[in-house]
Amino acid sequence: MRKLVLAASIALLTACSAPQQAQLNFAPRAELSNSNIVNGSTFTLTSKDVRSAQYVALVDSGRSNIEPIHARQNVRVTLENALLEQFQSQGFRSSVNSENSVEIQVQELLVSVKHSVMENEMDARLVLELTAETPQGKLVKTYTGSAERTGALSASDEEIEQVLNDVANLVLREVANDRELQSYMQERF
C-alpha cells in the first residue's frame, strides 16, 4: 500500500512540475469619459464569443511548428467588463431588467506571429460587433482594429501581449468615441 501511495505521489508531483504552456495577459484599458452624456439611463449588457478557436495568438517559427497561445483571462468577460466601465463613465447604468440592451459579440481576436532568429512580424486583428437595442429598434455596428509590428530577433511573449492589448485598446477607443452610437443610446435609452 505504501508503494502505491508513493508511486501516486511521485506521478502527481511530476505532472505538477511539467512545463506549462505560455499564456498572455489580456488586459485592455477602458476608455473613460470625463463627462456624462446621460444621467442614469439603464441597459442590460450581454456578450458572446463566437470565435472558432479560443487561442489569441498563433506563433509560426518557420519549422512547420505553429504554436497557439491562449489568454490567461476570459476574452469575452474581459471585453465586456471594459465596455461596461466605459458606458458607466458616460452616465449609463447596468441593470438586469432594462428594456434597453447592448450585446457584444467577439468575432475575431488573433495575433499572427511569424518569427525567426533574426526578425519577427506580428499582425493583430480584433472584430467586435455591438448591438444596441430598444423597443423602438436597434443599431448594429462592427468595430475592427488591426495592427502590424515588425522587430529584430524573435518575438517575446511580452511583445505579443503588447500588440494584443494595443489592438483591443484601439477598438475600445473607437467604441467610446463613436458619435452615432452615443447619440442612439442617449436619445433612446
Side-chain angles (χ1 to χ4, degrees):
M1 182 71 174
R2 279 187 157 181
K3 289 181 182 180
L4 181 63
V5 171
L6 184 62
S9 298
I10 291 172
L12 185 61
L13 288 173
T14 305
C16 290
S17 67
Q20 296 290 317
Q21 188 175 9
Q23 290 185 325
L24 301 176
N25 186 30
F26 181 58
R29 287 183 319 276
E31 186 77 17
L32 302 179
S33 174
N34 294 329
S35 60
N36 290 353
I37 59 171
V38 295
N39 192 11
S41 296
T42 63
F43 70 99
T44 302
L45 183 63
T46 57
S47 60
K48 287 185 209 171
D49 189 345
V50 297
R51 296 176 297 148
S52 58
Q54 297 305 303
Y55 50 79
V56 294
L58 277 177
V59 180
D60 181 357
S61 56
R63 294 181 287 279
S64 300
N65 183 20
I66 298 176
E67 176 189 0
I69 303 177
H70 295 267
R72 280 189 200 107
Q73 298 80 2
N74 182 308
V75 168
R76 177 191 63 80
V77 172
T78 302
L79 286 170
E80 181 181 313
N81 289 339
L83 284 165
L84 178 61
E85 200 176 333
Q86 283 184 197
F87 289 134
Q88 287 174 336
S89 78
Q90 294 173 342
F92 293 98
R93 232 171 13 101
S94 178
S95 169
V96 291
N97 59 356
S98 176
E99 61 183 13
N100 306 314
S101 68
V102 174
E103 182 185 329
I104 305 155
Q105 195 175 83
V106 183
Q107 296 181 339
E108 186 179 342
L109 176 60
L110 184 65
V111 180
S112 296
V113 182
K114 290 182 181 171
H115 69 164
S116 65
V117 176
M118 300 306 285
E119 66 179 356
N120 68 70
E121 292 177 17
M122 290 185 269
D123 292 317
R125 184 171 161 85
L126 169 60
V127 178
L128 195 70
E129 185 180 272
L130 192 141
T131 304
E133 191 167 0
T134 69
Q136 294 86 32
K138 69 180 173 179
L139 173 70
V140 180
K141 302 271 310 221
T142 302
Y143 301 93
T144 304
S146 60
E148 292 180 7
R149 182 174 168 181
T150 57
L153 307 175
S154 59
S156 69
D157 287 350
E158 290 77 21
E159 290 170 319
I160 299 170
E161 213 170 79
Q162 183 179 1
V163 171
L164 177 69
N165 288 315
D166 285 351
V167 78
N169 291 337
L170 281 172
V171 170
L172 290 173
R173 191 173 308 121
E174 191 180 341
V175 173
N177 296 325
D178 185 344
R179 297 280 178 232
E180 183 182 10
L181 177 65
Q182 286 178 359
S183 297
Y184 186 86
M185 292 173 71
Q186 189 176 17
E187 292 167 10
R188 293 179 174 83
F189 278 23

